Amino acid sequence: MNVIKLKDRQELDKRVPAMPWYVEQFINYKLPDLSPSSLLEYVRDYETFFSWLMAEGLTEAAAWRDIPIEVLEKLRMENINTYRMYLSSKKDGANTRTTISRKLSSLRSLFHYLSQIAEDEDYYPLLKRNVMAKVEIKRTHKPKDTAAKLEGKLLQEKEILEFIGYIQSGYPQDVCNNKQALYSYELNKVRDVCIVSLVLNTGLRVSEVVNLSIDDLDLKKKLVYVFRKGKNDETFKTPVYFRQEAVESLTAYLEIRSLRYAPDKKEKALFLAVANGSKEGKRMTKRAIQEMVIKYAKYFGKPYLSVHKLRHSFATDYYLRNDIYKTQEQLGHASPETTQIYAHLTDKTMAEAIDRREP
């Protein structure tokens, strides 16, 4: 099992016992089909919902696990509408429309299982009445809308090389008066350049980068083997090609990895970091990589950049040179519909290209 999924499975196992018995039954039912990461999101959504039920006085239970299934049967549409308003209120202001739709979808999946699949000892549905069947959940992100939000927030062609070059030599000039920043930079420069270059030359997700091990690299074939999102076969890794531009940075990093980070012999993680008070390098976390990219992006003059936007930047550039199906395969999208955002992102570029004359 990959590193992130393993941690999420451990966290899932900690949280599920606090849930009502029927939620635990639902999670066990879904375990063969959904990843621990997805199920952990389900459980977090249920924690929010059950906490709201208790705060609204819709149950007399003092703990989540004690909320009887009959409480769910008695819910009305007005209760669900109130919950939807609660999610979009200032009390829970971190919720975007996409997050709200996901939280409601999580509930609908639970209610559907309880009313249509699970049975009691007399073969009757566990949930006699399903209010969530009446709830319409609108699709919140169409490819064209996603493309519109990303427009102007990605690296374009030459900027891809410029950003990598900035990390290599421009950043220290901007923090020359900050000794701590300079020390950290000199320690991790080769690694940081390698990570950014790899993402901008493969389109990998941050979770895929975190999970990489040394054995996943094949520099001769220009391949990395990754656990793809949504793949539940924990023994299978997907080969992903990287561009020639990434070879040099990967080679440079591999040369200093052991000396610079002094990992334990059993540590196979590709990208390492040394925590404060420690002498041995351990696998970098998802958060550490995200914060690293944001740090450089801020000084580069593009504070809106993130690891995911670097992935989008690669994908847009790649799509201009290939078709939608090759782009889909390279990025690991389950459906070409997701990949269509790059068709919309490149509309402007293609419109300009038709009038461009070669010298």
Side-chain angles (χ1 to χ4, degrees), residues 121-259:
E121 294 178 354
D122 297 319
Y123 309 106
Y124 287 106
L126 291 180
L127 193 69
K128 309 299 187 293
R129 178 177 166 276
N130 179 5
V131 68
M132 290 303 298
K134 303 177 183 179
V135 178
E136 181 182 359
I137 302 175
K138 296 180 180 179
R139 183 177 176 178
T140 57
H141 55 284
K142 297 178 181 178
K144 190 173 183 179
D145 297 333
T146 303
K149 290 180 180 179
L150 290 172
E151 193 171 350
K153 295 182 179 180
L154 305 180
L155 296 174
Q156 304 294 329
E157 299 181 75
K158 291 182 179 179
E159 289 179 327
I160 290 176
L161 292 177
E162 287 174 359
F163 185 51
I164 296 172
Y166 174 77
I167 301 172
Q168 286 176 321
S169 58
Y171 175 77
Q173 299 173 28
D174 290 335
V175 295
C176 59
N177 295 322
N178 188 329
K179 292 183 179 180
Q180 185 175 352
L182 278 175
Y183 174 78
S184 176
Y185 169 74
E186 291 299 332
L187 182 68
N188 299 306
K189 176 179 70 172
V190 177
R191 181 202 66 188
D192 295 353
V193 168
C194 185
I195 292 173
V196 171
S197 177
L198 185 61
V199 175
L200 284 172
N201 285 291
T202 58
L204 292 180
R205 300 176 176 91
V206 64
S207 59
E208 293 165 350
V209 174
V210 169
N211 281 309
L212 284 176
S213 295
I214 293 180
D215 297 338
D216 296 329
L217 269 181
D218 188 331
L219 290 177
K220 290 184 179 179
K221 294 182 179 179
K222 293 187 291 187
L223 280 173
V224 284
Y225 293 88
V226 302
F227 287 112
R228 277 301 196 191
K229 180 181 178 182
K231 301 287 185 180
N232 287 324
D233 185 351
E234 303 299 343
T235 63
F236 179 75
K237 291 185 177 183
T238 303
V240 179
Y241 286 94
F242 52 83
R243 289 171 169 167
Q244 180 63 35
E245 288 84 346
V247 174
E248 185 177 338
S249 61
L250 281 164
T251 302
Y253 172 68
L254 290 173
E255 288 176 353
I256 60 97
R257 174 185 173 275
S258 295
L259 290 174

Side-chain angles (χ1 to χ4, degrees), residues 58-89:
L58 294 172
T59 176
E60 295 180 358
W64 298 329
R65 65 174 295 107
D66 297 327
I67 297 176
I69 197 169
E70 289 76 18
V71 169
L72 307 187
E73 288 181 341
K74 295 177 181 178
L75 291 174
R76 297 176 177 271
M77 272 302 297
E78 62 185 76
N79 299 132
I80 303 303
N81 289 333
T82 302
Y83 180 59
R84 191 198 297 262
M85 291 174 62
Y86 161 75
L87 292 175
S88 59
S89 70

Side-chain angles (χ1 to χ4, degrees), residues 254-286:
L254 290 173
E255 288 176 353
I256 60 97
R257 174 185 173 275
S258 295
L259 290 174
R260 184 68 51 85
Y261 298 98
D264 182 270
K265 292 182 179 180
K266 294 181 180 179
E267 180 58 79
K268 297 298 182 181
L270 177 58
F271 294 114
L272 304 170
V274 179
N276 290 334
S278 176
K279 294 181 179 180
E280 292 183 352
K282 300 291 185 182
R283 187 182 296 270
M284 280 189 80
T285 64
K286 181 178 177 180

Side-chain angles (χ1 to χ4, degrees), residues 16-55:
V16 165
M19 290 285 99
W21 62 270
Y22 46 86
V23 171
E24 186 169 359
Q25 185 171 316
F26 169 69
I27 296 298
N28 290 333
Y29 171 76
K30 284 290 187 180
L31 262 176
D33 302 317
L34 293 179
S35 71
S37 305
S38 297
L39 291 173
L40 181 58
E41 287 298 322
Y42 271 53
V43 171
R44 286 171 174 155
D45 291 342
Y46 300 149
E47 289 174 354
T48 301
F49 177 65
F50 291 138
S51 294
W52 175 82
L53 285 179
M54 293 164 65

